[in-house]
Amino acid sequence: YEEHLLLHMFQRVLENEFSNAKNISGLLRANTALTRMMTTYTRRSPGQHYLKATLTDVLKAITAQSTLVLEINPLKVYELMINDYEASTGKISTLNKKPSPEEAAENADVQKLIATRINHLGKITDDFISALIESMGSIPYGIRWICKQIRVFMTQYFPDAPEAQACSMIGGFFLLRFVNPAIVTPQAFMLVDTKLSPPTRRNLTLLAKIMQNLANNVKFGGVKESYMDPLNIVLDRNRDRMNEFLLELT
């Protein structure tokens, strides 16, 4: 009964949000009372059990390897490469210690490391999305119900919006408010019981960034993090099945 009341309240508040929205862009994106309520709702016991059951194993590809480094920022890769060389050989590297981002990105060894890591990140992302898709039957009813309301109100209040935009709205709730926090801080969701190393935390952040762009239906491409652009191939090959999954939630 309490659940029924809660979901009914979400329906009313969501409809109010949609009916008052001037455009889609800001809808459910800002940190409002409603979005905070939606996040809190996902933290209830059924949502927590689902995340633990669905994500623990697939995230082990990252969390179980404390020394795995998937960094793809050329400057950081370059710096770590010099550190590793000096630590393992006891010699001082002859490479420029203060390269420009362009110089770091042009180094052949850096390029080789990055190419391998992009493949590795792609494989982890593919497996992660497969785990989500295979979990459809165990996603808590209330969370799917909220996704359904988002789609209903999108159709009702923004009938001309493309389907991809509906997927992005559903993804904003299911992926960004429900799944992604568990990727970034798996300890808080009891998905791991060990302290995570800095490289592991960074690897999880990279996976979360990929999922964020899939949820928002946007590609990587910006001056600030142009090194993420090569991951667009991972977005491209997963976008259709991710959007199908998000629509199927409803």
Side-chain angles (χ1 to χ4, degrees):
Y1 180 69
E2 178 199 353
E3 185 77 359
H4 175 77
L5 280 179
L6 256 178
L7 294 177
H8 184 63
M9 177 208 61
F10 271 120
Q11 187 179 32
R12 304 268 303 261
V13 182
L14 273 168
E15 176 154 30
N16 184 52
E17 192 90 357
F18 272 87
S19 62
N20 288 315
K22 303 281 181 285
N23 56 41
I24 298 174
S25 62
L27 246 180
L28 303 184
R29 284 287 183 259
N31 200 7
T32 62
L34 169 60
T35 56
R36 285 197 296 275
M37 272 162 40
M38 289 166 85
T39 302
T40 305
Y41 179 78
T42 67
R43 304 275 159 93
R44 287 159 64 94
S45 166
Q48 298 302 294
H49 285 311
Y50 164 79
L51 291 173
K52 196 169 168 68
T54 307
L55 306 186
T56 303
D57 282 350
V58 74
L59 282 181
K60 278 195 178 126
I62 294 178
T63 57
Q65 303 184 62
S66 63
T67 56
L68 174 70
V69 175
L70 295 175
E71 182 58 72
I72 56 171
N73 178 340
L75 271 175
K76 290 185 181 169
V77 175
Y78 184 99
E79 189 187 326
L80 283 167
M81 187 177 74
I82 290 178
N83 292 350
D84 287 350
Y85 171 82
E86 293 183 346
S88 60
T89 63
K91 296 176 185 163
I92 299 291
S93 169
T94 55
L95 289 171
N96 176 6
K97 292 284 170 68
K98 295 237 180 298
S100 65
E102 294 73 26
E103 190 185 339
E106 281 161 14
N107 179 289
D109 292 324
V110 167
Q111 288 176 354
K112 220 180 293 176
L113 282 168
I114 289 175
T116 306
R117 289 169 185 181
I118 281 167
N119 282 338
H120 198 152
L121 273 169
K123 167 86 171 69
I124 289 171
T125 305
D126 295 344
D127 291 347
F128 187 85
I129 292 166
S130 295
L132 286 180
I133 291 169
E134 284 157 21
S135 76
M136 182 62 82
S138 56
I139 297 167
Y141 169 81
I143 284 172
R144 289 189 65 169
W145 193 88
I146 291 173
C147 293
K148 185 176 177 61
Q149 302 314 307
I150 292 171
R151 190 177 183 186
V152 165
F153 294 137
M154 272 296 285
T155 311
Q156 190 177 331
Y157 291 101
F158 297 98
D160 300 330
E163 202 167 59
Q165 222 155 7
C167 294
S168 181
M169 293 298 294
I170 299 160
F173 168 60
F174 185 82
L175 295 173
L176 300 188
R177 296 194 178 274
F178 180 39
V179 173
N180 255 20
I183 300 176
V184 180
T185 52
Q187 327 83 289
F189 293 80
M190 314 304 192
L191 304 189
V192 291
D193 43 23
T194 50
K195 196 169 183 298
L196 299 178
S197 68
T200 300
R201 289 205 300 274
R202 174 63 178 160
N203 298 341
L204 290 167
T205 300
L206 288 167
L207 173 61
K209 280 175 185 273
I210 298 170
M211 295 307 295
Q212 182 174 351
N213 278 35
L214 269 174
N216 290 330
N217 253 312
V218 293
K219 289 196 170 198
F220 289 110
V223 181
K224 201 163 76 119
E225 291 189 330
S226 56
Y227 62 82
M228 297 291 284
D229 293 1
L231 286 166
N232 281 330
I233 55 166
V234 181
L235 298 181
D236 290 342
R237 71 171 179 245
N238 281 299
R239 182 162 279 110
D240 286 350
R241 70 182 189 135
M242 191 76 243
N243 284 348
E244 273 169 37
F245 166 77
L246 291 170
L247 290 175
E248 204 185 320
L249 284 173
T250 68

